[in-house]
Amino acid sequence: MNIFKNLYEYRELLKTSVKKDVRGKYKNSFLGVLWSFLNPLLQIAVYAFVFDKILGAGEPNYAVFICCGLIPWTFFSAAVNRCAYTMIENGGIIKKVFFPREILPISVVTAEAVNFVISSVIIVCFVLLNGLGFYWTWIFYPILLMVLYFFLIAISFFVSSITVYFRDLQHFIGVVLQLLFYATPIAYASSRVPSQFSWVVKLNPVAYVIEGFRSIFIFHSIPDLLPLIIIVGISLFFCFIGYLVFSKLQKGFAEEL
């Protein structure tokens, strides 16, 4: 319960950190927050051209299809990458000022969640432009967001604390994310995965979230809730374990940084 007490007592610090993170992402940039739309749009255009026009992905409403995969993946990968660096980047503050250290990874994940919500406007635009229209299944959007959020919080406790002691983990995470990108049905449908490799997708929590977004936006159906509930349960369990690891390792942060 200590983490909830700390978050409540330092809620203003958490709120300020998230605001600073979101606003500072494109500070002094001429286009500012528009980069939240331009970067994903450019990626979507490239993947749509390569996979749909050249390789013939053959998925209907492919622009929406790729949006529902690429934008959640960007949220996931950005949060994991940034959490791996957050303690090292804030080493000076950690050594000088006392505050609950868990606020740093939580604020990173929360800020990236805000950026994801902003970027989700792109999905909505493509849905409307492709004539799919509004549908009641959109009410599951917050649920899918929270599933991914809790999963990332669990990961953030591990990677943010361990990288303080093992800096090579930062580079290893980059390699793993590259491999995981191709093992996640982002540019292709999970049904196209050969049966002998289907276990890779089935063990990938991000894949279920992406499939969930495609269900509510493209197919107008309720996402498969059972695996999402399982992911939340596993995430909460690893949030607990991750916080214990984080609490144990944070005692030496100042010396290591």
Side-chain angles (χ1 to χ4, degrees):
M1 297 300 294
N2 190 49
I3 184 173
F4 298 108
K5 179 182 177 182
N6 289 339
L7 291 177
Y8 179 76
E9 291 180 352
Y10 289 85
R11 60 190 180 279
E12 290 302 322
L13 175 60
L14 177 60
K15 188 188 300 182
T16 302
S17 179
V18 172
K19 286 182 179 179
K20 180 182 177 182
D21 202 338
V22 173
R23 293 174 179 173
K25 186 174 183 179
Y26 301 112
K27 187 178 180 181
N28 298 323
S29 172
F30 178 72
L31 294 177
V33 73
L34 287 177
W35 283 112
S36 294
F37 302 101
L38 293 177
N39 281 333
L41 282 173
L42 181 59
Q43 288 181 302
I44 290 166
V46 171
Y47 284 112
F49 178 75
V50 173
F51 287 95
D52 192 33
K53 302 301 180 183
I54 297 179
L55 299 180
E59 297 298 328
N61 301 302
Y62 191 74
V64 184
F65 183 88
I66 194 72
C67 277
C68 292
L70 191 59
I71 292 178
W73 170 260
T74 301
F75 168 34
F76 173 78
S77 60
V80 173
N81 266 321
R82 292 193 54 218
C83 283
Y85 288 89
T86 186
M87 293 301 170
I88 298 168
E89 288 178 343
N90 293 279
I93 300 175
I94 289 174
K95 289 187 287 187
K96 295 178 182 178
V97 182
F98 171 78
F99 63 93
R101 310 309 191 204
E102 60 267 23
I103 282 182
L104 292 175
I106 291 175
S107 67
V108 167
V109 176
T110 305
E112 289 300 331
V114 173
N115 289 325
F116 169 70
V117 172
I118 295 172
S119 298
S120 294
V121 174
I122 298 174
I123 301 178
V124 174
C125 290
F126 274 101
V127 167
L128 298 178
L129 288 172
N130 281 267
L132 296 175
F134 291 97
Y135 207 72
W136 67 269
T137 52
W138 290 22
I139 63 174
F140 289 96
Y141 174 91
I143 296 175
L144 294 168
L145 171 59
M146 293 309 297
V147 170
L148 195 53
Y149 180 82
F150 284 124
F151 182 57
L152 282 167
I153 291 293
I155 294 175
S156 71
F157 285 142
F158 287 102
V159 299
S160 62
S161 57
I162 295 174
T163 49
V164 174
Y165 298 89
F166 303 100
R167 304 295 175 90
D168 287 347
L169 183 61
Q170 301 170 12
H171 308 291
F172 179 73
I173 287 172
V175 174
V176 170
L177 286 175
Q178 284 184 329
L179 295 175
L180 190 59
F181 174 85
Y182 294 103
T184 305
I186 297 171
Y188 57 88
S190 56
S191 59
R192 290 178 173 266
V193 178
S195 57
Q196 64 267 33
F197 299 116
S198 61
W199 62 271
V200 177
V201 176
K202 291 179 180 178
L203 292 177
N204 185 351
V206 184
Y208 292 101
V209 177
I210 289 174
E211 293 294 339
F213 281 113
R214 286 172 178 159
S215 294
I216 66 173
F217 285 116
I218 300 176
F219 305 112
H220 296 163
S221 61
I222 299 174
D224 191 355
L225 296 179
L226 179 59
L228 296 177
I229 293 171
I230 294 173
I231 293 169
V232 170
I234 293 174
S235 297
L236 292 176
F237 173 75
F238 279 104
C239 278
F240 174 73
I241 301 298
Y243 181 68
L244 292 181
V245 172
F246 186 93
S247 299
K248 182 73 174 179
L249 295 180
Q250 71 169 328
K251 298 174 182 178
F253 281 176
E255 292 78 5
E256 292 294 327
L257 295 172

